[in-house]
Every structure is written in C-alpha cells, then in structure tokens.
Amino acid sequence: MAPSHVLKCCQKALAWVPVAFIALVVAWSYYAYVVELCVFTISSTAEKVVYLVVFHLSFVMFVWSYWKTIFTFPASPSNEFCLSKADKEQYEKEERPESQQEILRRAAKDLPIYTTTASRAIRYCDRCQLIKPDRCHHCSACDVCVLKMDHHCPWVNNCVGFSNYKFFLLFLMYSLLYCLFVAATVLQYFIKFWTNELPDTHAKFHVLFLFFVAAMFFISILSLFSYHCWLVGKNRSTIETFRAPTFRNGPDKNGFSLGCSKNLREVFGDEKKYWLLPIFTSLGDGCNFPTRLVIMDPEQLTVSSQNEPAKSSGANQSFPPRPLSESQNRLLASDSQWVESGPEEENVKSGSLHCKTCDDSRVLFVVGFSFFFFFLFFRPKTSLGIGWSQVEENLFRRIKSACL
C-alpha cells in the first residue's frame, strides 16, 4: 500500500513538470522583453511605451486564461446519472451482460441520453459507477468521468472539457497573439544584433533567443489553435473526431452540430461582450446537448410538446427523447435552416493518421523554408571563414531530404 501511495504522489508531482516548464519560459520571456529589450535596447521612449502597453495587455490575458484552464476542475456528471443503491447491488450481482444492460436501460429511461456504445449498449463507467451522459468520457489520468471531454492536456495538467474548454481556446488564442507580438516587435532588433549593427551587450543573447522561442511556439500553437477552431465550428471534441458518437441511426460525427454560429454560441455563450474574457459563459449543463437527432425527429419539432412524454420513433431507439433545457431551446429556437454538406465517409484511424502526417509535413516545410529564406536574404557576417553559399546549399539539401 505504501509503495503504491508513494508512486501516485510521484506521478502527481511529475505531472506538474510541463506546467513548470511553461511558467519558467513565460517568466523568462517577460524579463527578456521588458528589461533587456525595452529598457536596455530600445532608445525611443514612444516606442517603449507602445510596446510595453500592448505587451502587458496580451501578457495579462494570456496568463489569466492559462490559469483558468489549469485550475478549473473538470465537471463531472450529476447524481441523477448514478445508479440507486438497489440497482447498483443488482447490477453487481448479475453476471450476464444482457441482464446488466436491462438494469441500465431501466435506470436510463428518464435520463437525457441519445448516444450508446458501438454495440448499442448503455454507456456505463464501472470505475465511477454511473451512466455516462452524452459526450462524457472517463479520464484515466484524472480518474474521473469528465463532461464533454476533449482530451487530457499535459501542458495544463488538467482535462479539457465542458467546464474549461472556452478557457483552453482563449489560452491558445492569447498565447498565439503573445508570441506573434513578441516575434514581430523583436524581429528588427534580432536582425540588427545578428548583422552586428548593434554592439554586443548582455541583451543580445536574450533578444536572439526571444525571437527564436516566440517564433517556434507561434508555429506550434497556430496548428493546434486552427484545429480547435475547426472543431468548434463542427461542434466536435477531439475524441469524437477519432470515434464518432453512435446515435439510434448509427455513428454520426455531425450529430451534435447545429450550424457554425450556433456551435460557437454553445461554447462561448449568448453575450458576445464576454467571449474574449476567460469567464464561464458556455450554454447548458454539460449533461444534455441539443442534437441533429432532435431537429430531424418530426415528433420533437413542436416546442409546445416538449413538456409531454415523448413518443418512441422506432424499435432501435434505446431511450425516449427528453425535453430540452432553456439554453438548448435558445439554440434551436430560430429554425433548422442550417444544412450540413452531407455525410462524411471517413475512416477514423487512417484519416487521423493522414491528417497528423500532413500537419507534421506542413510544419516541417514552413520551419525549414523560413530559416532557409532568412539565411538567404540576411546573410550574417561570420568570422569563421565559412562560405554562406555552401551553408545554404547544405541546408537546402537537408530540408529537402527531411521533407521527403
């Protein structure tokens, strides 16, 4: 028991290493930009003031959203999804899966659930001993069921889900703007130091590395932020992209998509003035989501009938559809004039591997040719006696072989 407890404590401590690394990089970037660049390097007072004001604005928003992403605890299912004591005892005594599923179906008949497993069984978590709401998954790292789980992120040492997905998106956006602003404003002084137009001082090291670090993080975060913007527009989580949720009509990656604008409102809320602030404004409770199934079902198109018991629409439906919450009704109140482009016939595994390979190739291509053109046009002076044409030729050959 003692070694196991010590091992868990060590795992928890090691899980904070990526967060500590990011914190150290951010703290160093603050010192390098404010002190070494603005105080010791820039001579123009007006330029200093403008740079410092914009820098601190982006820095505060970046740190605020990062803090909220880390320390917002993942939302878990409410008690209504837990089995009663009698059902739990009966479920544990049963050995046949068919009998266990019958118990779960009886317990889930009044729950707002539309999705099942691939084998049309009730989604049940044996670890947490509860029926999983739609889009809920168990995180092995946090050891808890997380509502609308997207993924477990080691860089924030937390699960990204319903309670902090907006904060995570803002963290990516503000970190992207932070890196872009730093790289853009440091670039001219980076070139001056690199070409020896400015004297060698202790600020040179910080300015040179500040540009490289900002550019590197900008390229890395840009791909991740673009991917999650696409997910928000489609109303999918990362898990749902690789494993489509199964409805009564079968798997459907677009099952929760209500159109781009409504999908955006579901994450960021109705009031646009709060969209750019790391304040929780997402619609719903995380346990119940409006679906395309609800919109397409003719028995649920009439809002006045939502408070009446819903009729069964087919033999394959596991649970009766439940009334929608107020926030969900606002999303569906306008009309259903949105049209999806059509069913996506994608192989999840091969498609994900192909996308990942393409993304890696693009990043490698952009980074490699960025450095190539930088050396091509700026050609810094060197005292090592190395011919730059030869260096460029070797660099181009390496980049080409790496891309291929």
Side-chain angles (χ1 to χ4, degrees), residues 238-257:
T238 301
I239 295 176
E240 291 165 353
T241 302
F242 296 104
R243 186 173 64 241
T246 303
F247 296 88
R248 62 179 182 180
N249 296 325
D252 186 359
K253 285 187 176 182
N254 295 319
F256 293 105
S257 180

Side-chain angles (χ1 to χ4, degrees), residues 32-33 35-43 185-212 374 378-382:
Y33 192 91
V35 179
E36 299 294 344
L37 178 67
C38 292
V39 175
F40 294 134
T41 304
I42 299 177
S43 57
T185 53
V186 169
L187 178 59
Q188 59 173 319
Y189 298 97
F190 171 84
I191 296 173
K192 290 179 180 179
F193 274 122
W194 190 267
T195 56
N196 295 323
E197 293 183 25
L198 290 177
D200 288 341
T201 62
H202 60 282
K204 181 176 181 177
F205 166 82
H206 294 281
V207 172
L208 293 178
F209 275 87
L210 188 61
F211 175 78
F212 278 120
F374 175 81
F378 294 110
R379 297 174 180 261
K381 298 178 182 178
T382 176

Side-chain angles (χ1 to χ4, degrees), residues 3 16 52 57 61 139 150 210 226 252 261 282 373 381 392:
W16 287 100
L52 287 174
L57 180 62
M61 298 305 296
C139 175
D150 187 89
L210 188 61
S226 302
D252 186 359
S261 61
S282 301
F373 283 111
K381 298 178 182 178
E392 292 162 1

Side-chain angles (χ1 to χ4, degrees), residues 55-67 167 170-171 173-175 177 276-278:
F55 173 82
H56 280 92
L57 180 62
S58 60
F59 180 81
V60 168
M61 298 305 296
F62 161 61
V63 173
W64 186 9
S65 57
Y66 188 46
W67 178 275
F167 306 149
L170 292 179
F171 156 63
M173 185 186 73
Y174 286 123
S175 59
L177 295 177
L276 299 181
L277 296 177

Side-chain angles (χ1 to χ4, degrees), residues 268-279:
F268 289 93
D270 289 326
E271 300 188 58
K272 294 183 179 180
K273 61 183 178 181
Y274 297 123
W275 280 14
L276 299 181
L277 296 177
I279 301 173

